[in-house]
Amino acid sequence: IIMTTKTPSFKKSMLRLNEIVGALEKNDLELEEAIALFEEGLSLVQTCDGQLKNFENKVASLLESYQEDANHE
């Protein structure tokens, strides 16, 4: 998977993380390559964490809005 400057979707990030974990678990990489993959993985974890927090905030906002509408009816 080629990474661009655009933030990848959550699903693509998770798929790439799975690829990275699989490659690291094989334990047949050169140290430099393993470190590069580990670094990429950490970056993807941060991206996914940020996306999850945004999703949680959206859901909380929607629920709050729904509850306010339900209380006014």
Side-chain angles (χ1 to χ4, degrees), residues 61-73:
S61 177
L62 289 170
L63 287 174
E64 184 178 312
S65 178
Y66 173 77
Q67 289 172 347
E68 287 176 3
D69 288 346
N71 288 335
H72 288 106
E73 290 181 6

Side-chain angles (χ1 to χ4, degrees), residues 9-50:
S9 70
F10 183 81
K11 182 177 180 178
K12 285 184 180 182
S13 294
M14 290 302 295
L15 289 171
R16 181 62 182 146
L17 273 170
N18 283 330
E19 289 175 358
I20 290 170
V21 168
L24 291 171
E25 284 178 340
K26 288 181 184 175
N27 209 22
D28 63 353
L29 302 171
E30 294 292 326
L31 182 58
E32 294 82 7
E33 187 178 5
I35 290 171
L37 284 176
F38 186 75
E39 186 174 22
E40 181 185 351
L42 288 177
S43 176
L44 287 168
V45 166
Q46 286 182 320
T47 297
C48 289
D49 184 57

